[in-house]
Amino acid sequence: MSINNKLEKPLESEKLNPFPATAVSRLINKGNGLVSIQTDATIKAHQITSSYLESLEKSKIQENTGQVIAIVGEYGTGKTHLAFQVISEIEEHETSKTDTFYLDAPADSFHALYKDRFFPLLSKSEVIRRIEDYFSDIVADDLSKSELTLATAQALKNRITSPLEVIKKFGLMDSTYRGQLNNELKRITENEDFATAFSLMLRPEFEDAVWEWLKGESPDPSLKDRGINRTLNSDISVLEAIGVFAFLFGQQNYRFILVIDEMEKVLSPSSKSQNKETLLAFKKLMEAIGKTNSMLLLVGLPDFIETLPDDAQQRISSIIRPSSLTSKNVEAYILEAKIKAGLSNGIKPFTKDVVKYISEIAGGNARKVIRLCFHLYRNAVESGINISRAMVREVSREQFETSTNEDIFNEITRVIDLNGWLYEKDNRYSLNDKEFSVDFSIPLGEDVCNVFVENSILDSSIVKELISKNNSVTEKFKNKQCLCLLVVNGHIAENLKATLEKAFDRVLMNATRTFSDDLDAILKGMIKRIEEKSDKETLTKVLQRVEQISRQISSLRHEVDEKFERTNLSHQAYDLENAVLGAFRNIVGSNVSPRLQNSKANMLFDSIDSRISSMELNFLHEAPASESFNHEIGNIKAVISNFRRDLNNAERMFFGLRKQKEFEREFDRICRRYHDDFHFNDRWMRVLSEVPYGRDVSELEYLIRELPRQVYESYKGY
């Protein structure tokens, strides 16, 4: 049976491709042709928006109706699209005027976000006009008291005439009204400096000076004379400024909408904004939003929410997580896109089966779906055939395999070399009388850590073949340890991921931005698992004997101390005990840490090593042996040792060559990797509390928590 895959009717010109080449979200207006498919997330966004608008209409004074909304999800899931949907719906509502500020966040600080993104969107004339609105209401309220000036008062309220013109026309006391304006702005902004600055903006001679100060420049002498002495040059001050603008723009039947996209860049463990003072200032901004008619939309990866303290997280009124597109969603998207483009032949050249396959391959990721649809439609036009599963696979490989296999192999080799591991390439094995090779093998005595490299996995047959290869290799090491990592250069169909992750010890996709760091961490973890198990089996008897000797020496020292206090013999016993404990640590595997070029950094690490040794001695002398204590102390020592080793590698790679910026970036990546380990968790604290001298625990906790910062400071100017 032959199947005719040719199109019944040639497709329209490629110019009519109904799908965008790239899925880039943009702010839209009603009726502009944007295709938006209804999902659980879009429904929730609509409900939140409707509730917000309804609260504005119900509120008589139109205050305290503000909301903070978080839209969180992975790359390409449609976070920005959802944010723009909310903005568009609000702006189409005609009950009041909306001032919208959309900020993408390429910088790593709020100061940069304010200076480079927020302030350029402000209009000096619009700011002055909003200040004049408040001034108009003050003058109008006074003029409303007389029947003779009611018409003028109404003209002021309707913004038909200017308050400055009315004051001049009627010969009113300008200074009195300006004093009232200043007091009103103090009440509104909750900030004296900004109230003074805004009041002065209504005087032409101060207009430019105030604007430059708001931009972040040092205050002009004319402003200093009026009490404005500080400069808006820190995260805290600019967050305060944004909050003030929210008060200024988000009242009097106005709405202030602020969107901060890619929030993870300004709020992450490694960002400059990650400190208590800045987080407190950000919480105050969230509070300011809630007191007005404003809405703050925080868009980003899920990580940024976790960096906020609990009381700040509680200020977020709703969290929206973009929904994965189902095959029905994808079909609806294709159909609507074609209709909007004036094409009327249903979903052709797609079929329901192909649409389902696209959904599976893309994992419901909106950006990937749109990208595939564009290229598949173009291929169908050029080839004159319907879209098939084979075409989907071909296009997927073209679009998602961003690196060559050579690039991947070079990166794996680089990571292995940097860690000093021996490795073998292309070890041969047999499967069903056919030979295959393992791309990388890291031998560890009689054990091994293997790395398989594969291109995009889009079909179940490839999964079966990979699992068979993995089983064949592990069978050869059935009496030993054999861990296998699968590195995928490209994309894995969502419906195949779970099977692969179950079969292999770890699966890593090259599509991630942190591929190198992830590869390094995964290999270290797998090799550590092998080494720990091997060490435990081979060193058990040795460790038991060393522990026995250690206890004997400890008892001897106590006895000597009692009989010969502060004698030379006592010191000798103490030295002997330290020597044995040092040997014990070496046997366990605490290798001598690398010596850093920076002597200050070395001193910091040595100080922590000394404190840990002190804790071990205290515990050994005063308390019974504890497996949990030894285990957790071992974890702490491993973290410090690994951090020192990675820093040493960074020095060799960059710092020794005076590549300061490259070293700083590498140092930042290292610190992100160890961030969680530098903060004592509950388990650590509970176990370490067994130490007789609790002060040691507190001091050690402080030293380790502060280590990255202090180490970095030690490199400045080195």
Side-chain angles (χ1 to χ4, degrees), residues 68 110 238-244 246 256 258 260 280-290 296:
V68 180
F110 284 108
V238 299
L239 283 169
E240 185 181 14
I242 295 173
V244 166
F256 175 79
L258 175 63
I260 306 178
L280 178 61
F282 186 71
K283 189 186 78 169
K284 288 182 177 179
L285 169 61
M286 298 166 78
E287 292 172 351
I289 294 293
L296 175 61

Side-chain angles (χ1 to χ4, degrees), residues 235-236 267-268 271-281 309:
D235 283 352
I236 296 170
L267 278 182
S268 69
S271 68
K272 296 178 182 178
S273 305
Q274 192 64 22
N275 58 73
K276 289 183 179 179
E277 292 76 15
T278 302
L279 291 175
L280 178 61

Side-chain angles (χ1 to χ4, degrees), residues 533-557:
K533 188 175 180 180
S534 178
D535 290 344
K536 187 175 180 180
E537 291 173 351
T538 59
L539 294 177
T540 298
K541 293 183 179 179
V542 177
L543 295 180
Q544 289 174 347
R545 182 57 179 159
V546 173
E547 287 177 341
Q548 181 186 355
I549 295 171
S550 179
R551 287 193 296 270
Q552 289 174 332
I553 294 175
S554 179
S555 299
L556 174 63
R557 192 173 79 81

Side-chain angles (χ1 to χ4, degrees), residues 49-68:
T49 307
S50 298
S51 176
Y52 167 69
L53 293 170
E54 187 178 334
S55 67
L56 289 179
E57 292 176 354
K58 288 183 178 179
S59 175
K60 294 181 180 179
I61 58 174
Q62 295 208 328
E63 293 179 350
N64 302 314
T65 58
Q67 291 191 29
V68 180

Side-chain angles (χ1 to χ4, degrees), residues 386-433:
N386 282 312
I387 299 169
S388 64
R389 285 187 170 231
M391 185 187 291
V392 175
R393 287 193 292 271
E394 182 183 352
V395 170
S396 297
R397 293 190 179 98
E398 289 174 355
Q399 296 304 313
F400 300 139
E401 292 174 7
T402 56
S403 302
T404 66
N405 279 359
E406 185 181 0
D407 294 333
I408 297 298
F409 276 76
N410 288 340
E411 188 59 29
I412 295 173
T413 303
R414 187 187 72 84
V415 170
I416 292 175
D417 283 341
L418 281 176
N419 283 281
W421 298 315
L422 297 174
Y423 70 95
E424 300 167 353
K425 293 185 70 174
D426 299 322
N427 280 343
R428 308 296 294 180
Y429 297 87
S430 61
L431 175 64
N432 299 327
D433 298 326

Side-chain angles (χ1 to χ4, degrees), residues 132-149:
E132 281 189 346
D133 285 348
Y134 289 102
F135 201 21
S136 292
D137 288 344
I138 290 170
V139 178
D141 287 342
D142 189 52
L143 296 181
S144 297
K145 297 173 184 177
S146 171
E147 291 284 341
L148 298 174
T149 53

Side-chain angles (χ1 to χ4, degrees), residues 193 196 200 203 206 221-229:
D193 282 350
T196 302
L200 291 172
R203 297 179 182 271
F206 292 104
S222 61
L223 299 185
K224 289 183 177 180
D225 291 342
R226 287 156 179 81
I228 301 174
N229 295 300

